[in-house]
């Protein structure tokens, strides 16, 4: 049982729109992939001889957008320990369906990924599936308990591409300082889930007019901003690489922008849902909209979009957080936070880019080259000589978000039963086809 299938000997794209800002590409061109390797890119690359070749599979038309395959910095695949929500197989299938060739997975599994053994087990399992590549993120502290640092050298050697206590914040300034110093010696990026837990106890949603109206305890913006501000100072003092997970507030954006302008090694990511939804979605007490950090206000959404556009926010990360009906079909206060995301990036965000609401070049960069750099991975690119790692989007094909179309085991998304135009129809990772709309999955 594998996800990846060998590509046909010849795959030809003619007159498609190819977008790869890091190769200076956005135009109607041809692309040829031979035995899983990109061999020709450019106008006229698909010669009549190639097009006549026996066994060639041909895609044509500028309604097809071809981009480098995506790289997710933040997903929860739940294996080991909570396979009823998702496992590595279903998670990587969802990733492939979403256009991803690389997925960095958070350590809040059961047990927590705080050791070489867990990291290695994840990598092995994923490798055997020949699908999108899985890159573990190790814990910062043992058991994500916030006090004792993990053996980061071991984690890195076993394949970890960063460290994070995601789901929990490293609250102690002393521990965070030591974590940054320690991670720096191994050239690992420290990824923070920025939440001052003392300020968010019992919170169900963003603190604002709507939480007051609904009578729900709120999660104030400042609980995120305080941690980001402190961490930026610690990053400056230690010279370590610091990355903010799922930025949600206009205040954090301001702090990150200022830190970058002073040359501090800080990077940041934003989720598709924080770019598209506000706390107004909670008015019906929909548990699918309960997420950590919470959905904020329109002013935050506007600030996040502007920060993504100008590069202050480097990357788009899904924070794919599958939960079953056990954790979601209940009262809001009892529900676990999180929503699925891997399969929603193209439907949600490329539609916005098509309408001019997001700059397309930045969107592609934020899903490919920038996250690759942050995780220390070689970026997928539409370049001759590279093993094919591509995402093909059919901008005219629609997708309804439901059980029949979603590969993830969980369906916790407020976009359930909605139909979007524009969906991924082919994904290649490491030269193999990992998702193909025309083949039964
Ligand atoms: C995440 C989860 O379910 O693991 N939930 C969430 O709402 N984002 C944890 C996290 O990233 O905070
Ligand atoms: Zn988190």
């Amino acid at each position: 049982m594998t996800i990846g299938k060998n590509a046909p000997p010849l795959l030809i794209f003619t007159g498609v729109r190819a977008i790869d800002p890091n190769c200076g590409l956005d135009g109607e061109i041809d692309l040829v992939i031979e035995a899983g390797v990109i061999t020709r890119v450019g106008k006229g690359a698909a010669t009549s001889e190639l097009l006549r070749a026996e066994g060639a599979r041909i895609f044509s038309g500028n309604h097809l957008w071809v981009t480098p395959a995506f790289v997710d910095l933040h997903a929860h695949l739940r294996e080991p320990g909570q396979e009823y929500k998702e496992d590595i197989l279903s998670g990587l299938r969802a990733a492939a369906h979403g256009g991803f060739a690389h997925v960095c997975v958070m350590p809040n599994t059961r047990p927590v990924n705080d050791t070489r053994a867990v990291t290695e087990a994840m990598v092995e399992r994923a490798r055997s599936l020949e699908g999108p590549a899985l890159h573990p993120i190790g814990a910062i502290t043992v058991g994500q308990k916030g006090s004792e640092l993990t053996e980061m050298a071991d984690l890195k050697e076993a394949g970890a591409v960063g460290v994070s206590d995601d789901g929990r914040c490293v609250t102690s300034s002393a521990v965070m300082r030591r974590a940054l110093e320690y991670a720096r010696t191994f050239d690992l990026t420290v990824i923070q889930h920025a939440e001052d837990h003392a300020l968010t106890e019992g919170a169900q949603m963003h603190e604002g007019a709507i939480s007051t109206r609904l009578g729900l305890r709120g999660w104030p913006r400042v609980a995120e901003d305080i941690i980001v501000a402190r961490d930026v100072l610690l990053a400056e003092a230690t010279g370590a690489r610091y990355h903010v997970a799922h930025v949600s507030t206009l205040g954090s954006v301001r702090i990150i922008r200022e830190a970058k302008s002073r040359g501090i090694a800080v990077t940041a990511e934003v989720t598709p849902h924080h770019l598209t939804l506000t706390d107004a979605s909670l008015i019906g007490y929909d548990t699918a909209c309960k997420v950590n950090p919470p959905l904020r206000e329109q002013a935050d959404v506007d600030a996040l979009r502007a920060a993504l556009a100008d590069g202050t926010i480097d990357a788009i990360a899904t924070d794919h957080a599958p939960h079953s009906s056990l954790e979601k079909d209940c009262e809001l206060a009892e529900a676990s936070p999180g929503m699925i995301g891997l399969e929603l990036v193209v439907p949600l965000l490329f539609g916005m880019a098509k309408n001019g609401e997001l700059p397309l070049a930045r969107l592609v960069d934020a899903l490919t080259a920038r996250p690759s750099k942050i995780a220390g991975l070689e970026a997928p690119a539409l370049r001759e000589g590279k093993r094919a790692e591509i995402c093909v989007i059919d901008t005219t094909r629609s997708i309804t978000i439901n059980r029949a179309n979603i590969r993830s085991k969980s369906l916790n998304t407020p976009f359930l039963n909605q139909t979007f135009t524009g969906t991924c129809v082919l994904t290649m990772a490491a030269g193999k086809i990992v998702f193909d709309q025309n083949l039964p999955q």
Side-chain angles (χ1 to χ4, degrees), residues 73 75 104-109 111-120 122-123 134-144 148-168 170 179 183 188-192:
L73 286 173
C104 304
V105 301
M106 284 299 176
N108 63 337
T109 44
V112 166
N113 180 14
D114 56 6
T115 58
R116 171 196 288 270
V118 179
T119 302
E120 279 174 355
M122 284 177 172
V123 170
L134 177 153
H135 307 281
I137 292 170
I140 297 173
T141 64
V142 174
Q144 297 191 296
E148 191 189 334
L149 297 184
T150 55
E151 282 305 336
M152 295 184 193
D154 275 3
L155 295 171
K156 175 151 184 178
E157 224 178 79
V161 294
V163 286
S164 179
D165 272 359
D166 186 53
R168 298 286 304 167
V170 178
L188 278 166
T189 299
V190 177
I191 304 168
Q192 177 72 293

Side-chain angles (χ1 to χ4, degrees), residues 36-337:
V37 176
I38 301 176
T39 51
R40 295 165 64 91
V41 179
K43 279 204 187 301
T47 59
S48 49
E49 199 180 330
L50 281 169
L51 287 164
R52 279 198 310 267
E54 204 175 312
R57 184 158 167 207
I58 300 166
F59 294 79
S60 60
N62 63 3
H63 64 293
L64 297 175
W65 292 7
V66 180
T67 72
F70 308 149
V71 177
D72 193 5
L73 286 173
H74 190 148
H76 300 273
L77 299 193
R78 308 300 190 203
E79 181 179 343
Q82 293 182 310
E83 289 85 353
Y84 67 99
K85 300 183 184 193
E86 194 80 286
D87 58 25
I88 290 175
L89 173 61
S90 64
L92 291 181
R93 274 206 176 123
H97 181 220
F100 289 87
H102 297 268
V103 189
C104 304
V105 301
M106 284 299 176
N108 63 337
T109 44
R110 313 275 168 86
V112 166
N113 180 14
D114 56 6
T115 58
R116 171 196 288 270
V118 179
T119 302
E120 279 174 355
M122 284 177 172
V123 170
E124 291 283 297
R125 172 68 183 138
R127 217 172 256 157
S128 73
L129 298 173
E130 300 178 22
L134 177 153
H135 307 281
I137 292 170
I140 297 173
T141 64
V142 174
Q144 297 191 296
K145 290 192 193 323
S147 48
E148 191 189 334
L149 297 184
T150 55
E151 282 305 336
M152 295 184 193
D154 275 3
L155 295 171
K156 175 151 184 178
E157 224 178 79
V161 294
V163 286
S164 179
D165 272 359
D166 186 53
R168 298 286 304 167
C169 181
V170 178
T171 328
S172 156
S173 303
V175 173
M176 190 59 179
R177 177 188 172 189
R178 280 193 289 117
L180 287 162
E181 284 169 349
Y182 199 42
R184 186 178 166 220
T185 60
F186 311 116
D187 200 26
L188 278 166
T189 299
V190 177
I191 304 168
Q192 177 72 293
H193 167 116
E195 170 179 1
D196 186 332
H197 294 291
L199 287 170
T200 62
E201 240 185 275
Q204 304 304 322
M205 65 175 294
H206 168 68
E207 180 183 288
I210 294 180
S211 65
T212 307
R213 175 142 53 97
L214 298 177
L216 294 171
R217 182 87 57 93
W219 197 132
R221 293 185 178 98
V222 72
E224 176 171 311
D225 305 351
I226 280 177
I227 299 295
V228 175
R230 178 205 69 180
D231 287 354
V232 159
L233 297 175
L234 289 173
E236 182 176 25
T238 57
R241 281 195 283 133
Y242 171 67
H243 178 78
V244 192
H246 42 53
V247 171
S248 73
T249 67
L250 35 83
S252 317
V253 164
R254 198 159 49 219
I255 296 160
I256 294 161
R257 187 173 281 129
E258 197 252 358
K260 285 190 164 188
S261 77
R262 292 201 295 119
I264 301 168
V266 49
T267 53
E269 69 188 34
V270 63
T271 71
H273 46 275
H274 288 104
L275 287 169
T276 49
L277 299 170
T278 67
D279 58 345
S281 319
L282 272 298
I283 288 172
Y285 299 90
D286 182 2
T287 58
C289 295
K290 181 172 175 179
V291 63
N292 210 5
L295 302 172
R296 304 276 180 197
E297 298 178 28
Q298 192 56 46
D300 300 280
V301 172
D302 294 344
L304 293 169
R305 288 188 187 182
L308 177 67
D310 73 15
T312 298
I313 292 182
D314 301 82
I316 291 167
T318 66
D319 195 5
H320 178 77
H323 290 293
S324 78
S325 61
L326 281 174
E327 293 85 21
K328 285 294 194 181
D329 290 345
C330 55
E331 276 181 43
L332 199 67
E334 310 303 322
S336 299

